[in-house]
Amino acid sequence: PTPVRHRSRRPVAIAIQGDVVMSAADTILRRAPYASAFAVVGVKAVLADLLAQTRERRLQPVGARVVTCDDLSCEEIEVAAPYCARRTLAFLLYGGIYQGCFQHYLFNRMLPALVGEGSDLRTVLSKVAVDQLILTPFLCLPAAYLFKALAFGYGARLALRRYLADARRDLLAKYWALWTPVQCLTFGVVPPQWRIAFVAAVSFFWLIVLSSITARSDPPPLD
């Protein structure tokens, strides 16, 4: 007799589990949009900053030099600079409060009220234009520098001067190159309850870049 081949049920079980997880996530995002936005984007911002600091330590190790001696000789070694907790705190606040909570209101409440609810080409391009040409240079990016000033204990005037210097150099060009096409997808394809999660996934890589840019000339923290 021909042996009976039993098909594995594992792919079906995995698919069912995936559907359950996505359904649960969708429910959480709908019922607690601001809390979930703060949690998801805040954690993402912290991880991105820690990764950026790790990369910088490997590329440009800067730290104190100490002398160690044994019975025969002495040797000077370099001790890597510690991670900057205030810098990570700044990105937690920026990620959770601005990129999470405020952008949820911005994307799903304010912009639809200003330019419409639809996903037609004209509405999507209008939302992208407002986001990239008005909100980004005058609110989104300055907010990152202001949150960092709050964490480090220096003034808003210095924070805005540093923002303007970085914006003239390469900050805005890098932002627009990445986020213009991404925001077309955000407003044209992604469901409203998933927009912040989608933006958070992309901005993980952007925040690594932003963390390094904003740290070019960090002032000393005030103790």
Side-chain angles (χ1 to χ4, degrees), residues 8-221:
S8 174
R9 296 183 180 180
R10 182 174 297 177
V12 176
I14 293 174
I16 293 174
Q17 291 174 358
D19 290 341
V20 171
V21 171
M22 292 297 292
S23 177
D26 188 78
T27 301
I28 293 172
L29 293 174
R30 289 177 183 273
R31 292 183 177 179
Y34 292 100
S36 58
F38 184 94
V40 170
V41 186
V43 170
K44 176 266 308 181
V46 168
L47 294 176
D49 176 66
L50 292 176
L51 185 58
Q53 291 197 50
T54 300
R55 177 176 174 274
E56 292 163 16
R57 284 157 57 93
R58 291 176 179 174
L59 294 178
Q60 298 177 347
V62 177
R65 291 185 175 274
V66 297
V67 176
T68 59
C69 298
D70 55 25
D71 293 337
L72 300 177
S73 64
C74 292
E75 180 183 9
E76 186 180 57
I77 62 174
E78 186 177 70
V79 179
Y83 285 95
C84 182
R86 293 189 181 190
R87 173 173 159 181
T88 304
L89 173 62
F91 276 88
L92 170 63
L93 297 175
Y94 175 65
I97 296 173
Y98 178 81
Q99 288 191 317
C101 298
F102 184 76
Q103 283 196 337
H104 173 79
Y105 171 79
L106 187 68
F107 291 168
N108 298 321
R109 299 289 187 271
M110 194 176 105
L111 284 180
L114 289 175
V115 299
E117 294 275 358
S119 57
D120 57 281
L121 182 61
R122 181 177 179 179
T123 302
V124 170
L125 292 180
S126 297
K127 290 179 181 179
V128 173
V130 171
D131 179 64
Q132 297 294 291
L133 301 179
I134 299 176
L135 297 175
T136 290
F138 297 108
L139 181 60
C140 172
L141 293 177
Y145 287 76
L146 292 173
F147 275 114
K148 189 166 186 179
L150 178 64
F152 274 82
Y154 57 90
R157 183 175 298 179
L158 175 58
L160 293 176
R161 283 205 305 266
R162 296 182 64 206
Y163 162 64
L164 290 174
D166 287 337
R168 294 190 187 102
R169 184 174 176 181
D170 59 357
L171 177 61
L172 281 174
K174 289 179 177 179
Y175 187 96
W176 286 329
L178 172 65
W179 285 105
T180 299
V182 168
Q183 296 297 57
C184 289
L185 294 175
T186 301
F187 298 120
V189 178
V190 180
Q193 71 271 21
W194 285 95
R195 284 174 181 167
I196 296 303
F198 171 71
V199 169
V202 178
S203 67
F204 176 82
F205 303 98
W206 164 248
L207 281 184
I208 296 173
V209 176
L210 181 61
S211 179
S212 298
I213 290 176
T214 60
R216 285 169 178 164
S217 56
D218 274 341

